[in-house]
Amino acid sequence: MNMSKKTVILGVTGGIAAYKSCEIVSRLIKQDINVQVVMTKSAQEFVRPLVFQSLSNQPVITDMFEKPSSWDIEHISLAQKADLFLIAPATANIIGKVANGIADDMLSTTIMATKAPVVFAPAMNTAMYLNKIVQKNIRTLKELGYYFINPSEGRLACGDVGIGKLADVDVIIEEVQQILNSRQMDYKGKNLIVTAGPTRESIDPVRYISNHSTGKMGYAIAEAAIKRGANVTLITGPTHLTPPPSCNVIHVTTTEEMYHKVLEYFDSCDIVIKAAAPSDYRPKTVRPTKIKKSDKAMTIEFVSNPDILKELGKKKKHQILVGFAAESDHELKYGKEKLEKKNLDMICINNILKDHVGFGHDTNQIEIVKKSGEQRMLPLMTKIELAHKILDEVLDLQKHP
Ligand SMILES: Cc1cc2nc3c(=O)[nH]c(=O)nc-3n(C[C@H](O)[C@H](O)[C@H](O)COP(=O)(O)O)c2cc1C
């Protein structure tokens, strides 16, 4: 094994998608990564170890008690050598075993012994995947910091159509690369507050006003910061997203709630990135009972909500304060005004009317303006890539304020 290269331990478990792991091995090898395959007993019913041995140029580990081909690969040293563990496909069984601390074969024992990031790429029948026990096990593992690459929807080998298909090999390789490359831990020891999503302001017990924010940008920033070693408090309005593993998640509904939570954590944080879209206004009064439909026009009086960024701008001492400006016109002008008025260190400006930009998209395109006047237009990219770029710029701000 070449020790200067990164090492991925690929755990293959017993599902139909095991054959797709052959492609994963060859793609990783082409990227100059050492791959050591560990197969469960069931996995060997689907693909012969010889296939993986030939693709990885390494003996495949199949049994904890067989005489190892070299003492170099017994389970503890294997666990220590790993830069990353990838379990693909991951059966309901291996997820359940790891979530419950069971280590009864080579793969589960090695996972238990490793300090490297462990990434599960589940693949199974839809009903199995949605089973409450499986979902609970996934939640448990996520909370403990294990990574998951969600399965996709489509026609499954069993004939069902639904969620449960192993994620695309491209997606798996990208995620593996991202985790391997972002392990420089340049945010270790830094405390971040990231806000995300919309807020909701009730009109009556049934209705509310809100906006089109989905939280994707803020969640991407939280995820990227965690992977770089930060302690992240994610203060989020209502979204359908799953928070990244191992962050302190605080759910809020209204702008006032978000305001109080951000202030509560502000003193002990180093960096605030405000990617949320809190509602600027709320109805003056919330009707206690449902407003009944009538033929008459209706007027609702709104009052201003607290301005979270402005308040932080006034209070900040050592903290770096980063805001977002989602504009539909004159974005640079409005963005620069916001940077100045709210005493920010940096603002990320986007025009939400551009294609593939802003609310709900997986991609975004921003222009960064710093308080020094430095300006940088970034190209369209995925929100997770953009999150890393924003974090790079924030580190730069800390080094050269
Ligand atoms: C034909 C066949 C296909 C299977 N496909 C899957 C699958 O896609 N996902 C899964 O979680 N289990 C699947 N199973 C069940 C697992 O093989 C079984 O739970 C086994 O105990 C998993 O062991 P392992 O996790 O140690 O590999 C399948 C079983 C058979 C017979």
Side-chain angles (χ1 to χ4, degrees):
M1 219 180 253
N2 178 344
M3 297 305 289
S4 63
K5 292 188 193 177
K6 299 261 187 198
T7 298
V8 169
I9 311 290
L10 174 66
V12 183
T13 61
I16 298 276
Y19 75 94
K20 294 186 184 168
S21 302
C22 301
E23 172 71 9
I24 296 176
V25 176
S26 44
R27 292 278 294 276
L28 291 173
I29 294 280
K30 277 187 198 139
Q31 296 187 12
D32 211 24
I33 292 171
N34 281 320
V35 183
Q36 173 66 66
V37 179
V38 181
M39 296 180 82
T40 62
K41 198 161 178 284
S42 309
Q44 295 165 57
E45 298 289 329
F46 294 86
V47 182
R48 303 245 315 142
L50 187 61
V51 181
F52 287 110
Q53 186 173 314
S54 312
L55 291 169
S56 67
N57 290 319
Q58 308 268 3
V60 171
I61 300 168
T62 51
D63 181 356
M64 190 150 56
F65 297 105
E66 80 185 0
K67 200 167 167 246
S69 55
S70 126
W71 280 111
D72 216 22
I73 52 168
E74 53 96 17
H75 72 273
I76 298 294
S77 71
L78 192 61
Q80 287 167 348
K81 226 176 267 172
D83 290 295
L84 182 142
F85 252 83
L86 171 66
I87 324 299
T91 53
N93 182 55
I94 188 75
I95 292 168
K97 285 203 297 192
V98 181
N100 290 286
I102 296 169
D104 65 350
D105 63 4
M106 190 63 173
L107 181 60
S108 49
T109 306
T110 317
I111 293 172
M112 215 63 81
T114 194
K115 287 186 179 152
V118 178
V119 185
F120 289 94
M124 64 197 77
N125 159 277
T126 305
M128 245 174 130
Y129 181 69
L130 296 177
N131 179 292
K132 285 187 177 151
I133 301 171
V134 173
Q135 286 300 315
K136 182 169 164 271
N137 289 335
I138 291 176
R139 264 198 314 279
T140 302
L141 289 173
K142 281 184 177 176
E143 279 163 22
L144 292 170
Y146 290 82
Y147 294 88
F148 274 79
I149 304 175
N150 292 336
S152 59
E153 287 188 32
R155 177 169 290 281
L156 306 174
C158 57
D160 285 2
V161 177
I163 191 156
K165 240 171 111 82
L166 183 73
D168 236 44
V169 171
D170 282 345
V171 174
I172 295 176
I173 299 294
E174 196 191 315
E175 186 70 12
V176 166
Q177 280 290 13
Q178 216 155 59
I179 297 171
L180 282 176
N181 295 338
S182 65
R183 292 213 68 213
Q184 67 264 36
M185 295 291 175
D186 49 5
Y187 268 76
K188 202 164 176 58
K190 295 190 191 297
N191 296 315
L192 258 77
I193 295 177
V194 179
T195 68
T199 57
R200 284 180 188 166
E201 305 294 344
S202 287
I203 296 168
D204 69 10
V206 179
R207 306 169 179 97
Y208 58 81
I209 61 154
S210 188
N211 57 61
H212 294 296
S213 170
T214 56
K216 283 184 179 174
M217 192 68 242
Y219 277 56
I221 294 168
E223 184 182 332
I226 283 169
K227 285 182 182 169
R228 290 165 74 157
N231 305 315
V232 176
T233 298
L234 175 66
I235 302 178
T236 174
T239 76
H240 291 103
L241 304 175
T242 306
S246 55
C247 69
N248 174 28
V249 187
I250 295 169
H251 294 277
V252 295
T253 305
T254 66
T255 296
E256 279 195 309
E257 284 167 14
M258 187 174 275
Y259 173 82
H260 290 300
K261 284 294 169 192
V262 173
L263 286 186
E264 188 182 322
Y265 285 87
F266 187 58
D267 282 346
S268 55
C269 87
D270 307 302
I271 298 157
V272 182
I273 305 184
K274 280 219 73 260
S279 178
D280 292 334
Y281 298 95
R282 66 177 186 279
K284 188 173 179 188
T285 51
V286 181
R287 303 279 188 93
T289 53
K290 183 181 169 188
I291 302 168
K292 299 308 289 178
K293 189 176 168 188
S294 88
D295 293 336
K296 291 187 193 141
M298 188 175 58
T299 304
I300 299 175
E301 192 181 346
F302 288 96
V303 292
S304 292
N305 264 328
D307 187 328
I308 307 175
L309 262 184
K310 200 169 169 186
E311 198 55 34
L312 297 182
K314 280 191 218 153
K315 283 193 184 320
K316 82 170 179 190
K317 294 180 190 118
H318 60 282
Q319 293 93 341
I320 299 259
L321 194 52
V322 179
F324 271 75
E327 303 291 347
S328 57
D329 59 295
H330 300 96
E331 57 269 25
L332 192 56
K333 176 175 177 285
Y334 293 147
K336 282 181 173 175
E337 282 171 11
K338 186 169 178 180
L339 174 87
E340 197 167 316
K341 261 198 229 152
K342 304 197 177 183
N343 192 24
L344 309 182
D345 297 285
M346 184 173 117
I347 191 152
C348 308
I349 305 167
N350 59 8
N351 184 327
I352 43 116
L353 296 185
K354 283 190 189 165
D355 285 345
H356 311 293
V357 171
F359 298 140
H361 294 289
D362 291 322
T363 49
N364 204 359
Q365 194 254 311
I366 61 166
E367 182 157 12
I368 285 178
V369 183
K370 294 182 181 167
K371 80 171 171 210
S372 60
E374 192 187 328
Q375 241 170 272
R376 212 172 143 209
M377 177 73 90
L378 297 176
L380 185 73
M381 60 183 90
T382 62
K383 284 187 171 166
I384 191 76
E385 279 175 298
L386 184 58
H388 281 289
K389 297 270 182 237
I390 292 169
L391 293 175
D392 292 343
E393 295 292 339
V394 171
L395 273 192
D396 190 57
L397 266 178
Q398 278 199 317
K399 283 182 205 142
H400 317 284

mmCIF file of all heavy atoms in Angstrom, residues 180 202 234 294 303 344 354 358:
data_model
loop_
_atom_site.group_PDB
_atom_site.id
_atom_site.type_symbol
_atom_site.label_atom_id
_atom_site.label_comp_id
_atom_site.label_asym_id
_atom_site.label_seq_id
_atom_site.Cartn_x
_atom_site.Cartn_y
_atom_site.Cartn_z
ATOM 1 N N LEU A 180 -12.692 14.017 1.873
ATOM 2 C CA LEU A 180 -11.240 13.825 1.945
ATOM 3 C C LEU A 180 -10.504 15.155 1.854
ATOM 4 O O LEU A 180 -9.561 15.409 2.580
ATOM 5 C CB LEU A 180 -10.766 12.911 0.803
ATOM 6 C CG LEU A 180 -11.002 11.415 0.964
ATOM 7 C CD1 LEU A 180 -10.573 10.681 -0.301
ATOM 8 C CD2 LEU A 180 -10.249 10.854 2.169
ATOM 9 N N SER A 202 -47.457 34.447 11.882
ATOM 10 C CA SER A 202 -48.863 34.028 11.846
ATOM 11 C C SER A 202 -49.815 35.204 11.658
ATOM 12 O O SER A 202 -49.598 36.295 12.193
ATOM 13 C CB SER A 202 -49.230 33.331 13.156
ATOM 14 O OG SER A 202 -48.637 32.074 13.178
ATOM 15 N N LEU A 234 -26.673 26.043 14.297
ATOM 16 C CA LEU A 234 -27.518 26.342 13.138
ATOM 17 C C LEU A 234 -28.888 26.781 13.656
ATOM 18 O O LEU A 234 -29.606 25.989 14.263
ATOM 19 C CB LEU A 234 -27.651 25.099 12.253
ATOM 20 C CG LEU A 234 -28.602 25.194 11.064
ATOM 21 C CD1 LEU A 234 -28.114 26.203 10.033
ATOM 22 C CD2 LEU A 234 -28.764 23.818 10.393
ATOM 23 N N SER A 294 -64.960 36.129 3.496
ATOM 24 C CA SER A 294 -66.102 36.990 3.218
ATOM 25 C C SER A 294 -65.878 37.621 1.847
ATOM 26 O O SER A 294 -64.806 37.493 1.261
ATOM 27 C CB SER A 294 -66.234 38.058 4.310
ATOM 28 O OG SER A 294 -65.464 39.181 3.962
ATOM 29 N N VAL A 303 -46.338 45.340 11.207
ATOM 30 C CA VAL A 303 -45.351 46.154 11.935
ATOM 31 C C VAL A 303 -43.961 45.566 11.667
ATOM 32 O O VAL A 303 -43.831 44.403 11.274
ATOM 33 C CB VAL A 303 -45.623 46.157 13.464
ATOM 34 C CG1 VAL A 303 -46.900 46.890 13.793
ATOM 35 C CG2 VAL A 303 -45.645 44.731 14.022
ATOM 36 N N LEU A 344 -21.407 45.341 8.584
ATOM 37 C CA LEU A 344 -20.978 43.962 8.306
ATOM 38 C C LEU A 344 -19.508 43.953 7.904
ATOM 39 O O LEU A 344 -18.952 44.979 7.499
ATOM 40 C CB LEU A 344 -21.798 43.365 7.159
ATOM 41 C CG LEU A 344 -23.319 43.453 7.267
ATOM 42 C CD1 LEU A 344 -23.979 42.776 6.074
ATOM 43 C CD2 LEU A 344 -23.787 42.798 8.560
ATOM 44 N N LYS A 354 -31.947 35.677 -11.519
ATOM 45 C CA LYS A 354 -31.086 34.988 -12.491
ATOM 46 C C LYS A 354 -31.396 33.491 -12.486
ATOM 47 O O LYS A 354 -31.806 32.948 -11.457
ATOM 48 C CB LYS A 354 -29.615 35.185 -12.123
ATOM 49 C CG LYS A 354 -29.055 36.542 -12.490
ATOM 50 C CD LYS A 354 -27.547 36.500 -12.285
ATOM 51 C CE LYS A 354 -26.937 37.864 -12.418
ATOM 52 N NZ LYS A 354 -25.569 37.899 -11.883
ATOM 53 N N GLY A 358 -30.273 31.448 -6.161
ATOM 54 C CA GLY A 358 -31.135 31.834 -5.037
ATOM 55 C C GLY A 358 -32.093 30.756 -4.585
ATOM 56 O O GLY A 358 -31.798 29.560 -4.666
#
